[in-house]
């Protein structure tokens, strides 16, 4: 048996775990609309995807994963609740010299169910853990939703909350914004100079002095931007206690029971976090009911912030106890994605994916 055949056989055996749990096998188009992915991820996706062009359909990308096309399929025609599994190739552009594969099999399990979302979180994680049982792995969990709830609970402007939410997945930029909003670091000097000059001479004079117009923004758009910058400069600093709670949250690493206690304590100083902390506690119980050992299961509040951009709730990874390997499995909740792709409809959704070739490798198979 060739290596490719052995990996596919491994993948099919793993998929049987999901079909045995009631998942319906589905496929997805290999080419997906570039516009859809660009709307979701911005221009950054071009550095990670292979693109092509069709005269009728416009710019297309080889699917970088299955989740987006499966969500589109479900939102267009799926019944509720629904459980799907899929197995096929995905394509990721890699940095030169990285030796990482640009094409590999992805196996997944997705749950669309509005009746018991916390139990669905537990179901997906427990099933992924069971599929990989016997392998040398360690688990880690996180919760992007806790961070988003803490941002929403801050006593600050709508614009500042939106900026922090937008950069949750860019930790360095997020930290720089939070420091600026708390007064720990000043605004960029160029911005301060621009505001001072606009106040002194007026926007029209600044534009005229700058020379011929370049780019697509008109004077009205520049004026609107100036007003936003003025409002930002005039806004009071975020309360120091609230900012400290958010900073502590981002650094939180503990087993689930200890993390649960820590979140409840944080909610004392940031009351808007209380509901999210209680949801976290209910999920811990759901995980235990699903057979997961929650006493030692690690929680890292910032887990997933650099590579899981469409997740907005519970996230997890099953990592190989072997240096240098990517995670064997990752997943999480992506309710917001169903809103973006649902054309006005939405449904709570959670899922996860496995890399079968890594499983094969851990079992001693050829690379």
């Amino acid at each position: 048996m060739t290596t490719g055949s052995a990996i596919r056989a491994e993948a099919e055996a793993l998929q049987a775990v999901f079909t045995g749990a009631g998942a319906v096998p589905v496929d997805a188009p290999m080419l997906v609309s570039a516009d859809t992915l660009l709307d979701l991820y911005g221009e950054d996706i071009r550095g990670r995807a292979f693109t092509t062009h069709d005269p009728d359909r416009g710019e297309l990308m080889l699917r970088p994963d299955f989740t987006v096309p499966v969500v589109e399929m479900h939102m267009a025609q799926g019944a509720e609740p629904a459980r799907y599994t899929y197995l096929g190739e995905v394509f990721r552009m890699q940095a030169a010299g990285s030796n990482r594969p640009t094409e590999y099999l992805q196996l997944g399990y997705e749950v669309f169910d509005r009746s018991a979302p916390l139990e669905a979180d537990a179901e997906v994680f427990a099933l992924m853990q069971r599929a990989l049982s016997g392998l040398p792995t360690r688990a880690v969990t996180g919760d992007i939703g806790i961070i988003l709830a803490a941002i929403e609970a801050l006593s600050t402007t709508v614009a500042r909350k939106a900026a922090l939410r937008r950069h949750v997945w860019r930790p360095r930029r997020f930290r720089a914004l939070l420091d600026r909003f708390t007064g720990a670091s000043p605004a960029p000097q160029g911005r301060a100079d621009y505001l001072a000059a606009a106040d002194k001479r007026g926007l029209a004079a600044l534009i005229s002095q700058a020379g011929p117009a370049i780019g697509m923004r008109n004077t009205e758009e520049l004026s609107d931007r100036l007003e936003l910058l003025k409002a930002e400069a005039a806004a009071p600093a975020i309360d120091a206690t609230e900012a400290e709670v958010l900073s502590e949250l981002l650094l939180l690493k503990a087993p689930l029971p200890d993390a649960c206690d820590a979140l409840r304590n944080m909610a004392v100083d940031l009351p808007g976090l209380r509901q999210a902390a209680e949801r976290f506690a209910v999920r811990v119980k759901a995980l235990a009911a699903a057979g997961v050992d929650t006493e030692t299961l690690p929680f890292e509040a910032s887990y997933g912030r650099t590579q899981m951009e469409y997740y907005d709730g519970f996230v997890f990874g099953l990592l190989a106890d072997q240096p240098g390997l990517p995670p064997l499995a990752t997943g999480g909740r992506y309710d917001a994605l169903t809103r973006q792709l649902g054309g006005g409809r939405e449904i709570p959704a959670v899922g996860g994916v496995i890399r079968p070739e890594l499983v094969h490798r851990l079992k001693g198979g050829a690379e």
Side-chain angles (χ1 to χ4, degrees):
M1 182 182 292
T2 65
T3 299
S5 298
I7 292 172
R8 182 164 286 275
E10 185 72 64
E12 290 171 353
L14 290 167
Q15 191 175 37
V17 176
F18 302 144
T19 55
V24 176
V26 294
D27 200 359
M30 195 167 289
L31 289 171
V32 296
S33 166
D35 288 343
T36 299
L37 295 178
L38 289 168
D39 287 345
L40 290 171
Y41 307 121
E43 287 292 330
D44 289 351
I45 190 65
R46 291 190 189 278
R48 309 196 301 269
F50 293 95
T51 61
T52 186
H53 188 273
D54 181 272
D56 296 321
R57 300 170 61 191
E59 187 178 16
L60 302 171
M61 292 183 178
L62 285 172
R63 63 189 179 211
D65 67 21
F66 271 84
T67 302
V68 168
V70 168
V71 170
E72 288 185 310
M73 176 204 71
H74 176 81
M75 299 310 291
Q77 61 191 31
E80 298 180 18
R83 283 159 174 77
Y84 304 118
T85 181
Y86 47 81
L87 173 62
E89 290 79 8
V90 295
F91 306 85
R92 303 281 180 91
M93 191 177 294
Q94 307 291 356
S98 69
N99 294 320
R100 294 178 178 176
T102 56
E103 175 184 349
Y104 53 86
L105 284 178
Q106 186 179 79
L107 166 66
Y109 179 69
E110 313 288 340
V111 176
F112 296 81
D113 189 346
R114 68 178 75 250
S115 63
L118 299 176
E119 287 74 9
D121 289 347
E123 173 191 333
V124 171
F125 177 80
L127 205 55
M128 288 280 167
Q129 198 174 54
R130 178 154 65 88
L132 299 178
S133 62
L135 292 174
T137 64
R138 59 185 177 87
V140 60
T141 64
D143 193 336
I144 302 297
I146 289 280
I147 300 174
L148 296 174
I151 293 170
E152 189 58 34
L154 295 173
S155 301
T156 190
T157 65
V158 172
R160 284 182 170 180
K161 291 179 185 180
L164 290 170
R165 284 196 303 270
R166 188 166 58 252
H167 292 288
V168 161
W169 292 273
R170 301 169 182 83
R172 291 179 62 182
R173 175 64 175 156
F174 184 93
R175 183 74 254 176
L177 283 175
L178 186 60
D179 287 345
R180 187 196 308 167
F181 295 161
T182 59
S185 65
Q189 186 59 45
R191 178 178 298 184
D193 292 343
Y194 171 67
L195 290 173
D199 280 341
K200 183 177 181 180
R201 287 179 281 170
L203 181 62
L206 284 180
I207 294 175
S208 176
Q209 182 182 355
I214 298 174
M216 299 181 66
R217 289 189 177 181
N218 57 37
T219 302
E220 183 179 353
E221 290 171 319
L222 292 173
S223 180
D224 290 344
R225 177 61 176 165
L226 176 63
E227 293 304 317
L228 288 174
L229 293 178
K230 284 182 178 179
E232 163 57 31
I238 291 177
D239 178 78
T241 299
E242 293 183 349
E244 183 179 357
V245 171
L246 179 53
S247 296
E248 289 177 358
L249 172 61
L250 295 173
L251 296 174
L252 177 59
K253 294 183 180 181
L256 283 186
D258 296 338
C260 191
D261 291 339
L263 290 170
R264 283 171 167 159
N265 289 335
M266 291 177 188
V268 174
D269 291 320
L270 192 59
L273 195 57
R274 187 173 295 120
Q275 184 176 2
E278 291 308 314
R279 283 175 56 84
F280 184 93
V282 174
R283 185 190 296 117
V284 173
K285 292 179 180 178
L287 285 164
V292 176
D293 179 8
T294 57
E295 291 300 312
T296 58
L297 184 60
F299 174 78
E300 298 180 12
S302 285
Y303 178 71
R305 287 180 64 203
T306 58
Q307 72 269 21
M308 297 181 171
E309 291 187 25
Y310 53 67
Y311 293 127
D312 57 2
F314 175 65
V315 291
F316 66 85
L318 292 167
L319 316 178
D321 277 341
Q322 182 174 320
L325 279 186
L328 270 70
T330 56
R333 176 157 293 281
Y334 50 87
D335 295 352
L337 185 62
T338 71
R339 289 195 293 273
Q340 288 176 277
L341 299 178
R345 296 176 54 245
E346 62 179 275
I347 179 173
V350 59
V353 296
I354 293 176
R355 294 273 298 268
E357 91 279 6
L358 298 179
V359 175
H360 178 71
R361 181 172 170 181
L362 270 186
K363 288 185 174 182
E367 297 185 24

